[in-house]
Amino acid sequence: IFMTHLKILKLLAIEEGISYLCFAITVPLKYALKIPEPNLIVGMLHGILFMAFCLWLVIYGIKSKQTFWYYAAGGIASLLPMGTFWFDKKYLTNSK
């Protein structure tokens, strides 16, 4: 299956956003019910997806000659819950 740089970034944005939201389930398990294992797994997965998203943000940004605001928005969005969903809709959905 062939995926363009844009499709990979869009996929990473969605996956990173979902992994961030999974903390809403695993953090209460860890602190309220004393079950830390799901949080460890989600934490590692989220960390990997976060780094992949940031790396691919730069790769696609260079390839498509993006502006400073693209990088700033993507960087800030990666730190906010549901931020990558917004970034996908605002910057990636109408891209070529």
Side-chain angles (χ1 to χ4, degrees):
I1 183 167
F2 177 75
M3 293 188 73
T4 65
H5 288 91
L6 175 60
K7 287 182 182 177
I8 292 170
L9 182 58
K10 288 174 69 62
L11 182 63
L12 285 170
I14 300 304
E15 290 173 344
E16 198 272 346
I18 291 169
S19 74
Y20 205 146
L21 294 177
C22 286
F23 281 120
I25 298 166
T26 63
V27 169
L29 287 174
K30 179 179 179 179
Y31 291 107
L33 301 177
K34 306 294 186 220
I35 306 171
E37 291 81 10
N39 201 54
L40 294 172
I41 296 165
V42 169
M44 181 167 296
L45 179 62
H46 174 69
I48 292 167
L49 289 169
F50 171 79
M51 291 186 296
F53 174 77
C54 291
L55 177 64
W56 218 259
L57 184 74
V58 172
I59 290 170
Y60 177 72
I62 291 169
K63 183 181 180 312
S64 61
K65 299 181 175 123
Q66 294 293 333
T67 66
F68 165 80
W69 296 110
Y70 159 87
Y71 294 104
I76 292 169
S78 71
L79 300 174
L80 302 172
M82 300 181 65
T84 54
F85 300 128
W86 170 83
F87 181 79
D88 174 43
K89 181 135 179 95
K90 173 96 172 146
Y91 285 90
L92 305 178
T93 299
N94 296 322
S95 296
K96 292 181 180 181

